[in-house]
Amino acid sequence: MGETVPLKLPIGRRVTPQRTEYRRLSESAEMGSVTRGQLAVLAHNLPCTGLINASESHLLVTLVNTASPEAFDKDGRPIIFKSNQQLAFEINRSVGRVSRMLSNLFDAGLVTMQDSGNYKRYPHRNADGLIVDGCGIDMRILIVRYRELDGLVRQAKAEKAAASAALRRYRGALRNLRYALATATGLSERARSRLEARLERVVAVVGIAAKASSAVLRRATALFEWLIERALQLCRRSESALVTENSASANAENDMHRQITNPDPIVNSNENRRSAHAEQLSLLEAGSASQWAYEASLGGGSRQVNEPKHPPQALVALQDLVRAIPALDTYGFALPHTWAELARIVPQMCRIAGISDDARRRAVDQMGEQQAAVAVAVTLQKFDRQEVTSPGGYLRAMTERAAAGELHLARSVFRLLARNMTEALN
């Protein structure tokens, strides 16, 4: 039998490609571009980025403050020669813990190491007594990466501020909605229970609000605000119906009933019948084949403010659009029976999908109010099916295609309708 060769443990500091790259970068440091105070503040704020923890940050701040301010000047050399034992005493940690933290700082690219043969740390001075080289903890990599790391700190602080603001708005909207549902006297029990069920469903989806993302909180807040508007709208309708009923009862008692065949006043009757709004609604409900036919029906009247700038494609019937967009029912919208009702809920659809007011206004200016409403509804449906990650960008792209005369909304609607019917059969 051969002799057993004992395994030898590796001697020396662990060498990795990343550590080698950090050593090379430290040689390119532009001395004098960053002060010691700036580096100390950076080291103190780095835990918010997740690169290091609080103990490692404490050690890094101690290392930065150990070097003199002149060491970071143009001809300086910020190398720390303190032993691990001295550093452990200063930060009140064990020597082994300090050694592990230094290794983590090296791996994170916040310090580099220049080791001697026996791991002793000492400087090399010139004839004038200035440190020109040495074996120790080199801080120059912090100077090289200062802009990058400072940008990470600023980004982390901005994300934290945005998350805190979204959380405050979410909690405020949730509190307002619960108060509105509790104090609304005009709501029926059925409407109140439906609104409360939607509220609890959104809360369940969000989960722990403090741990939810800013995007989820913003969308939940938009839904809460819409539910508040919906509750108030139902209350106003109930109060209006009650006032009408009381008025009708009073008129019946006083024998003041009058049967009016035309719902419009006599003075404004002909004007309302000839109005562009009335023509527009009746034409769209019938599913007009072309917007040009609608313009001709106006008889040479003045152009509307939200008139499309390019001849649009044929519009689908409203009932086909409603069947193609089940997201309207998913998000609790009352299904529109006229194009005017659809146009009124467009801002609410935009808030739910995260579409900005600027993108909506551009779509209305370019396509007209009716086609813009169809475009927003299609965008909401695709957002609900998670086919669109940026609804605002998707609507802007549709607006650009409309400007070029290349937008075919009817095709999109019929594709959605066909897919819904296929899924229903399966």
Side-chain angles (χ1 to χ4, degrees), residues 2 7 11 42 58 91 113 174 271 299 338 348 380 396 420:
L7 295 177
I11 300 175
L42 173 65
H58 186 196
I91 68 172
M113 302 287 189
L174 176 59
E271 285 294 331
T338 64
Q348 299 168 3
L380 177 66
R396 290 182 187 275
N420 293 340

Side-chain angles (χ1 to χ4, degrees), residues 344-383:
R344 279 196 294 268
I345 64 175
V346 165
Q348 299 168 3
M349 288 192 290
C350 289
R351 284 200 295 270
I352 291 175
I355 299 174
S356 65
D357 290 339
D358 178 69
R360 175 176 61 84
R361 285 193 297 267
R362 288 177 182 270
V364 172
D365 292 341
Q366 182 60 51
M367 293 184 277
E369 195 167 10
Q370 297 76 37
Q371 287 208 76
V374 176
V376 170
V378 171
T379 304
L380 177 66
Q381 179 62 32
K382 294 192 175 184
F383 167 74

